Amino acid sequence: MLLLLIGSCTAYDYGSRYASWMGLDKAGVVAAAQWYVRERAPGQKVCLYVATCAKGRARLALVKDMAAWDVEATRQLAWDRRFSDACPGYTANLALEVAQGGPQSPPLGTERAVWSFYLDRFRPWQTHDFSAFSEKPTEPCTPEHAIAG
């Protein structure tokens, strides 16, 4: 009985993550970014970053043009990183950062967020998290590249 319970919880966990991965699209990411601003960082503008693979390691790249962002490539890289050990690194697959130079400081701990396939949305990233925001420095988020806020 205990094994059945553990198995069903594990199946739900992976099932919900798979559904989040399968349903990942631009409109959903923008809606999740808008939710994050509304609920976690009111009055702020946020930029989207996606994982890329440079020299065999993952790093985050600022999305400057949403129309040009290849969401399918992002989904595939997230899959390959999880199941094929491709492009290793303690770097998020999708992330947000509050734009610099805003009218007010963001609430403490909300300056950066990472995508959670478990929650199907962005969650605040903390420096003590099990994963890194990005192993390499990222291009700064500026208001002209904001996708929400």
Side-chain angles (χ1 to χ4, degrees), residues 53-69:
C53 198
K55 298 179 183 175
R57 298 290 294 179
R59 69 174 302 147
L60 287 178
L62 174 63
V63 175
K64 295 180 180 179
D65 181 357
M66 284 297 286
W69 172 40

Side-chain angles (χ1 to χ4, degrees), residues 69-102:
W69 172 40
D70 184 354
V71 70
E72 295 303 319
T74 299
R75 285 179 58 225
Q76 189 60 52
L77 182 58
W79 182 270
D80 292 345
R81 289 183 70 205
R82 175 73 174 133
F83 296 107
S84 300
D85 293 327
C87 201
Y90 295 105
T91 297
N93 290 305
L94 291 144
L96 298 176
E97 185 171 52
V98 171
Q100 298 176 358

